[in-house]
Amino acid sequence: NVERIQFKKNLASFIRDYPESSLNNRASSILGYLGAGNIDSLLTDLEKRPDIVPEAKDTTSAEESLEEKAEKLFDFNEEDKHYYVISANTKKIDTKQLRFEVNNFNIFTFNIRTFRVLYSLYDENTELVFVKSFKNKTQAMNYMKLIVNNQNVFGDLNQADYSQFVISEKNFEILKSKKAMDKYRAFYNKYYIK
């Protein structure tokens, strides 16, 4: 998707060009959600791609219907227990090693608190590695800000092979049972990426 690639490139350029900006954490969180952890390698990768001028098309009604479907499927309550999730392509990522690295990150970063790192198969090509549980949305988002660019966890991974997000416990069960990743992404963008 050309728009998504350009969006990633603009965010990464912003982070690189304005390192002292107060918006850097937000830009990093968005890139983390989109599966882009390492800014330098992302920029190098994106600069190798030819510029493509996207066709002008009206996607408003399609986006609205996806968002409307998401609204009907998921509920937002920022005080619910939340999980941090990595959606990983099992054909490209050794998810056992990924879980090991996330566990190590938790051990070395949090000496008082213990987190559980679990996994769930989403489909034949995707595993959801998740950290549970956080008291609310704010705690989960703060955790994500800490881990999103961690080189020990994500340094050897290609950003195209995984994405990161937070989700409430209840919505996580719905996501898994309904296989509604596209709908959840629309929901996540509305309620979590502000």
Side-chain angles (χ1 to χ4, degrees), residues 43-103:
L43 282 171
T44 303
D45 179 52
L46 292 174
E47 286 168 4
K48 290 178 185 174
R49 298 178 185 194
D51 288 331
I52 302 168
V53 178
E55 277 182 38
K57 58 184 177 184
D58 180 18
T59 59
T60 308
S61 61
E63 288 172 7
E64 287 174 352
S65 68
L66 183 61
E67 191 172 290
E68 288 170 0
K69 290 177 184 175
E71 290 283 333
K72 291 176 183 171
L73 193 56
F74 300 107
D75 291 319
F76 179 71
N77 183 343
E78 62 185 278
E79 296 307 317
D80 284 349
K81 285 185 179 178
H82 276 67
Y83 300 157
Y84 160 77
V85 181
I86 304 167
S87 174
N89 179 338
T90 56
K91 304 283 188 211
K92 306 279 180 104
I93 293 176
D94 178 353
T95 54
K96 287 181 184 174
Q97 182 66 34
L98 178 61
R99 292 191 305 264
F100 175 79
E101 296 300 343
V102 172
N103 265 319

Side-chain angles (χ1 to χ4, degrees), residues 86-90 93 95 98 125-129 161-163:
I86 304 167
S87 174
N89 179 338
T90 56
I93 293 176
T95 54
L98 178 61
N125 298 320
T126 308
E127 183 176 300
L128 302 175
V129 176
D161 297 331
Y162 68 93
S163 64

Side-chain angles (χ1 to χ4, degrees), residues 14-42:
F14 174 84
I15 292 168
R16 182 194 61 208
D17 296 343
Y18 304 99
E20 302 301 318
S21 173
S22 62
L23 297 175
N24 261 355
N25 282 344
R26 182 164 290 164
S28 293
S29 293
I30 293 169
L31 278 176
Y33 170 73
L34 295 173
N38 185 319
I39 305 305
D40 294 328
S41 66
L42 172 66

Side-chain angles (χ1 to χ4, degrees), residues 104-121:
N104 280 345
F105 170 82
N106 291 338
I107 290 166
F108 292 112
T109 307
F110 304 97
N111 56 0
I112 296 173
R113 182 142 184 223
T114 303
F115 295 101
R116 293 184 64 202
V117 178
L118 304 168
Y119 70 96
S120 176
L121 295 177

